[in-house]
Amino acid sequence: MTKQIEVIAPTLVILDRDGVINEDSDDYIKSADEWQPIPGSIEAIIELKAKKIPVAIATNQSGVGRGLFDLATLMSMHDKLYGLLAEDKDAIKHIAYCPHAPDMDCICRKPQTGMLDEISLKLDIALNPMVFFVGDSFKDIQAARKANCTPVLVKTGKGLKTLAKHQSELAGVMIFDNLQQFVEAVI
């Protein structure tokens, strides 16, 4: 007799942006033209919506603080994401972003939890292990842990480097090839 394990859907999925939803660059994503979705990521977000799982984004955007692009350009990148989601743009319930440079020591920049707290407050969903935070960097994992969320690492973006550098610190972290594979596993 085989025992079946029941998988409970998350109450909320929080996504990092660069390297999870869209291609990342060591030179920063500085324009809507440079913002290119990772294959399958848009469809994965739409699948979460179809299963009535809310999605939010928490993204460090130090390019603003470094003067590489302005807030209007950041908003145009997000508008491109909404445009690609088309009639499913309401799948994204909130986008929290930190525009500060790393040396500003703010409370919003991951690995701090300010953006996760903002999302929790905005959506009225408590941060707990049923909230999954999907990222590609160790800062994402650290923020998820600090906020009592379930950390998930994808191998896209900086994910493979994160896995190689922090393997011993990733015990208990779910690891997937990409966002699409994660969504297929949770739904």
Side-chain angles (χ1 to χ4, degrees), residues 109-127:
R109 184 174 175 76
K110 296 175 287 182
Q112 301 305 320
T113 62
M115 287 186 285
L116 303 183
D117 296 332
E118 175 187 327
I119 290 166
S120 173
L121 186 64
K122 179 80 174 173
L123 301 184
D124 195 26
I125 298 174
L127 298 175

Side-chain angles (χ1 to χ4, degrees), residues 2 10 41 46 125 181:
T2 306
S41 66
I46 293 168
I125 298 174
Q181 188 184 65

Side-chain angles (χ1 to χ4, degrees), residues 56-96:
I57 296 171
T59 179
N60 286 346
Q61 291 296 318
S62 69
V64 174
R66 297 170 195 266
L68 299 175
F69 54 91
D70 58 21
L71 284 176
T73 302
L74 178 61
M75 294 306 122
S76 71
M77 292 181 225
H78 295 164
D79 287 344
K80 182 173 183 177
L81 168 61
Y82 287 126
L84 292 170
L85 288 165
E87 67 270 5
D88 293 304
K89 65 184 171 191
D90 61 338
I92 307 289
K93 302 299 183 193
H94 185 66
I95 299 178

Side-chain angles (χ1 to χ4, degrees), residues 1-41:
M1 182 174 187
T2 306
K3 183 178 179 182
Q4 289 200 336
I5 299 170
E6 183 179 341
V7 177
I8 300 172
T11 56
L12 171 65
V13 173
I14 301 173
L15 304 174
D16 175 44
R17 196 192 79 174
D18 300 336
V20 175
I21 301 171
N22 60 283
E23 301 290 349
D24 199 2
S25 168
D26 289 337
D27 295 326
Y28 300 89
I29 303 300
K30 300 178 291 301
S31 70
D33 286 342
E34 291 179 11
W35 195 100
Q36 296 298 320
I38 292 172
S41 66

